[in-house]
Amino acid sequence: MDPLMLVAEWWWIAPVAAGGVTAGAIGVRRRSRSSGRRLAVDAARHDLKAAQIAIVEKKAAVKVARADVAHVSAERAARRATPEQVASAKRMLRDSERDVKAAAADIKARQARLQAARAAIPAASAPRPLDRLRSEHDAIVVQWMQYETDPARQIAYPAMTDVKQPATAAYLRAAGRATDLRREAGDRPTPAEFAAYRDGVAQLARAFEIAEHAARVAAGERPATPGWQDAAQDAISRSAEAIDRAAEAAATAFTAWTTRGRKPPQPPHPPRDDR
């Protein structure tokens, strides 16, 4: 068959094949999104975009603050502004500059979270990010319910269930907020809804830790010593032991040297009989 005729008859195969590959790739990505495997990645990307928008706004605020300082300084030179107004404008400029530094650090943290989320995309058989987040939420609630339902813990740590305690009240507020965010997220949350629920669970975990620590301190328990203090105390103990061993060795050596230097006199040898 003439090659030109063959090309004319089967020209449509290449575009259809290419379109099929593209559609397949889009379908795989869409199924991944709908199944929730990339939900943590999408939420981290959403957070990063929000942080990038925020730093642009904060940088603009710095420019405005600098212009205000220049304007108030000029007014002060013309004696139309007070020193307090100049100082206030400079304070606002410093606050704006600190906000920009904090926003830059926030962007770095969100970039790290995005990289971690990409590396932790679960396999097809692994729990989805939403399922893992719900499990974390449920685990915190179970820990709290142990203080509510165990009579021994109620007696030992009464502050843990006392709503008048600031830390306990803060935990209960965080628990209510996390529950609301979980309900709003539903079974197919958007990246923004997942991010909000994720942050709510993180705040709940911190609030529970603070409330538990406060309750244990109120019950008279000694708070745990930080790890660096334990390491320092261990190093001091080891140093003291080493000094004691060195002192004992030195004393032993000194005693031996003294003993050698003060040997008792030896009796004289009897005279030899040469006969």
Side-chain angles (χ1 to χ4, degrees), residues 1-272:
M1 179 180 291
D2 188 356
L4 295 177
M5 295 295 296
L6 185 63
V7 172
E9 291 183 4
W10 299 96
W11 64 269
W12 51 273
I13 293 179
V16 171
V21 172
T22 303
I26 294 175
V28 170
R29 187 174 180 83
R30 187 170 295 172
R31 285 196 300 273
S32 177
R33 287 178 180 273
S34 62
S35 65
R37 291 176 57 199
R38 294 181 58 88
L39 187 56
V41 176
D42 296 336
R45 186 180 292 110
H46 170 271
D47 291 345
L48 179 58
K49 289 182 179 179
Q52 290 170 341
I53 293 173
I55 197 171
V56 171
E57 296 175 352
K58 294 182 185 300
K59 287 181 178 179
V62 168
K63 292 181 180 180
V64 172
R66 286 175 180 168
D68 288 342
V69 169
H71 173 70
V72 175
S73 298
E75 291 291 311
R76 173 57 184 164
R79 297 185 178 181
R80 290 193 295 266
T82 63
E84 290 76 11
Q85 291 174 325
V86 176
S88 176
K90 290 182 178 180
R91 284 195 300 270
M92 293 178 67
L93 174 59
R94 288 193 297 269
D95 291 343
S96 299
E97 290 173 344
R98 282 194 292 265
D99 289 343
V100 170
K101 291 181 180 179
D106 187 40
I107 286 179
K108 291 181 179 180
R110 293 175 189 268
Q111 287 173 339
R113 173 176 280 182
L114 177 57
Q115 293 175 357
R118 284 173 175 167
I121 293 177
S125 59
R128 300 298 186 264
L130 181 59
D131 296 334
R132 292 201 305 267
L133 187 59
R134 286 176 171 174
S135 298
E136 293 175 10
H137 186 182
D138 294 339
I140 298 171
V141 174
V142 168
Q143 287 181 295
W144 165 258
M145 290 304 299
Q146 290 176 351
Y147 288 96
E148 285 279 357
T149 58
D150 187 351
R153 292 199 179 195
Q154 288 181 355
I155 296 173
Y157 310 107
M160 196 63 182
T161 54
D162 185 1
V163 296
K164 295 180 180 180
Q165 299 295 326
T168 302
Y171 166 80
L172 294 175
R173 288 193 297 270
R177 189 176 188 291
T179 301
D180 293 340
L181 292 170
R182 179 172 184 165
R183 187 182 304 110
E184 293 173 3
D187 295 330
R188 299 173 65 88
T190 64
E193 291 171 341
F194 179 82
Y197 179 39
R198 177 204 61 205
D199 294 343
V201 173
Q203 293 173 3
L204 177 63
R206 286 193 295 269
F208 177 80
E209 193 278 333
I210 293 172
E212 188 176 46
H213 177 76
R216 291 180 180 275
V217 171
E221 291 188 6
R222 184 179 179 181
T225 305
W228 67 268
Q229 293 185 9
D230 293 338
Q233 185 62 38
D234 183 66
I236 293 172
S237 300
R238 290 176 181 272
S239 299
E241 292 174 1
I243 293 172
D244 291 340
R245 288 196 298 269
E248 291 175 1
T252 303
F254 180 78
T255 302
W257 178 82
T258 305
T259 303
R260 287 197 303 269
R262 296 182 179 178
K263 289 182 178 180
Q266 298 295 331
H269 294 285
R272 295 175 60 184

